[in-house]
Amino acid sequence: MKVILSGIKPTASSTHIGNYFGAIKQFVDLQKPENENLYFLANYHALTTVKSKKELEDNTWAMLREYIAYGLDPKESTIFLQSDVPEVTELAWILNCLAPMGLLERAHAYKDAMAKGKEANVGLFDYPVLMAADILIYQSIHVPVGKDQKQHVEIARDLAEKFNHHFGETFVLPEPLIMKETATVPGIDGDKMSKSYNNFVGAFEDEKEMGKKIMSIKTDSLGVDEAKDPEQSIIVQLLRLVGKPDVIKTVEEKFRKGGMGYGDAKKILLAETLEYFAPMRNRYETVSQKELESVVADGAKKARKIAQETMHEVRRKVGLV
Ligand code: ADP
Ligand code: TRP
């Protein structure tokens, strides 16, 4: 069986449609009998930025509810919280002792923080090593992620190779699984959609709020009758993800010929977004807290068992008697 694993950090109260099309949709589509799927919430990683107990707890439960609402099925996937498998921090330590400083200095989460003049904590610097431990401890082969995580998966691969070289064949070499068309979903300002840029549209947000955000998508100042290039339009890029094929075609044609204003296109985008996510929005309402607790309790048992087996081998191989 192919082990497929991915996670998202609960650093906001909800995921956004960039997370969905970049990562979570793949998680859902990969749920097949021939795959062993593991999906978790990276709450240890979230600690690098979230410093409030309530916020971390609330974010974690909300995102877990979204995982289920999007279609992750506990019967087909092991769904769990990173912190329910503390062995992963032990493996991160062992990998730390193999990770060159230079490799982590080049990692983009840390580099970006430095470039923005932010004060980085050691956790942020070490973020890719903990992520490598997440990936390697379950012997994952495929890691479905958006493009921004590619470098992190490559670091995991490097560290697996280093470990295997020093201590003998132990870890499978993982590969990122990136969907070409949705590698980077743009936010309403045209930058990469991100929880931390406040430019995102959430699949489960209140209709009014979603409307406000979509209506504020950045455009140029071309008038209704003027021809517009669909390739340059954030509206069209988002519509291509959520819209029905005939609707996408109509908007693209009207943009090319002239005859559709940005306001009307945004209204169409809102309607299509709501329609696309309607089944998931309905499911969201029906998931109970009790159900969530039972899902992660089961998931933790399964995930931890695999992690403990790996750690048993790792401890033996590195000489921790
Ligand atoms: P954020 O940047 O919003 O904090 P995360 O870093 O938690 O998002 O990413 C969670 C997952 O979603 C990762 O696999 C990431 O690659 C993917 N992802 C995040 N933003 C986007 C985007 N704008 N387009 C495509 N994938 C994305
Ligand atoms: N770094 C990922 C993000 O920002 C979250 C994550 C942590 C992850 N551990 C992982 C993703 C392991 C894939 C595999 O969203």
Side-chain angles (χ1 to χ4, degrees):
M1 286 243 266
K2 277 198 260 176
V3 180
I4 300 188
L5 163 130
S6 196
I8 292 189
K9 42 184 198 311
T11 48
S13 58
S14 71
T15 56
H16 52 72
I17 64 177
N19 298 136
Y20 177 71
F21 287 105
I24 303 167
K25 184 170 185 300
Q26 292 199 78
F27 304 177
V28 176
D29 295 344
L30 286 163
Q31 298 185 117
K32 294 191 191 124
E34 64 270 27
N35 297 334
E36 162 106 52
N37 291 281
L38 297 145
Y39 299 116
F40 65 97
L41 284 165
N43 53 356
Y44 282 139
H45 276 108
L47 284 173
T48 59
T49 53
V50 182
K51 309 291 176 198
S52 144
K53 164 187 158 72
K54 184 171 184 320
E55 200 184 321
L56 184 58
E57 288 177 352
D58 290 353
N59 289 353
T60 306
W61 291 120
M63 283 202 184
L64 189 62
R65 185 179 298 265
E66 294 185 359
Y67 265 8
I68 308 287
Y70 281 128
L72 285 189
D73 180 351
K75 288 196 220 68
E76 295 182 77
S77 295
T78 302
I79 300 168
F80 64 104
L81 305 182
Q82 188 183 30
S83 59
D84 279 334
V85 188
E87 285 77 9
V88 79
T89 60
E90 184 186 359
L91 180 58
W93 176 256
I94 294 170
L95 297 176
N96 269 334
C97 300
L98 293 169
M101 292 286 287
L103 182 71
L104 299 188
E105 273 158 2
R106 288 192 298 276
H108 68 73
Y110 172 72
K111 239 170 87 177
D112 291 353
M114 289 292 105
K116 289 193 181 121
K118 286 191 195 157
E119 207 176 305
N121 54 52
V122 177
L124 182 73
F125 181 69
D126 202 30
Y127 184 121
V129 178
L130 180 58
M131 179 159 163
D134 287 326
I135 295 171
L136 302 182
I137 208 164
Y138 304 106
Q139 304 287 3
S140 319
I141 302 180
H142 293 307
V143 185
V145 283
K147 197 171 136 210
D148 59 340
Q149 296 297 318
K150 183 169 182 261
Q151 185 194 33
H152 290 153
V153 182
E154 285 164 358
I155 293 177
R157 198 184 164 90
D158 272 11
L159 294 176
E161 277 177 328
K162 276 207 161 62
F163 188 100
N164 290 350
H165 171 75
H166 287 289
F167 303 110
E169 222 33 58
T170 308
F171 293 116
V172 170
L173 304 185
E175 278 178 36
L177 267 189
I178 297 166
M179 301 275 291
K180 245 210 196 126
E181 320 80 75
T182 56
T184 308
V185 176
I188 57 175
D189 56 358
D191 273 349
K192 174 196 117 102
M193 187 177 288
S194 172
K195 283 174 283 193
S196 39
Y197 303 159
N198 210 13
N199 63 354
F200 63 87
V201 179
F204 299 96
E205 66 194 352
D206 174 71
E207 205 174 314
K208 248 190 167 161
E209 187 58 27
M210 189 191 279
K212 253 201 255 162
K213 289 187 180 171
I214 289 183
M215 295 317 283
S216 67
I217 288 175
K218 201 168 131 191
T219 59
D220 52 36
S221 52
L222 292 172
V224 176
D225 295 329
E226 287 177 276
K228 305 168 183 71
D229 180 3
E231 303 313 316
Q232 301 301 320
S233 163
I234 304 164
I235 307 172
V236 173
Q237 285 179 54
L238 294 176
L239 188 63
R240 283 178 183 157
L241 299 174
V242 297
K244 295 185 281 300
D246 57 321
V247 177
I248 302 171
K249 208 169 140 218
T250 309
V251 173
E252 286 179 349
E253 276 170 8
K254 287 198 175 162
F255 265 32
R256 279 195 200 99
K257 282 193 204 139
M260 180 177 276
Y262 290 123
D264 285 340
K266 287 175 179 175
K267 280 187 199 141
I268 294 172
L269 174 61
L270 174 62
E272 293 292 300
T273 308
L274 285 168
E275 190 178 329
Y276 183 95
F277 287 107
M280 305 172 204
R281 292 167 69 92
N282 291 338
R283 206 176 307 138
Y284 186 90
E285 298 303 327
T286 66
V287 185
S288 70
Q289 176 66 20
K290 216 171 131 210
E291 201 179 328
L292 296 179
E293 286 172 19
S294 135
V295 166
V296 284
D298 283 354
K301 263 190 236 148
K302 284 190 222 156
R304 196 157 190 207
K305 186 164 174 282
I306 309 173
Q308 282 173 335
E309 280 165 16
T310 306
M311 283 318 291
H312 185 73
E313 190 187 345
V314 166
R315 294 174 128 255
R316 189 173 54 76
K317 285 195 167 156
V318 300
L320 294 168
V321 289

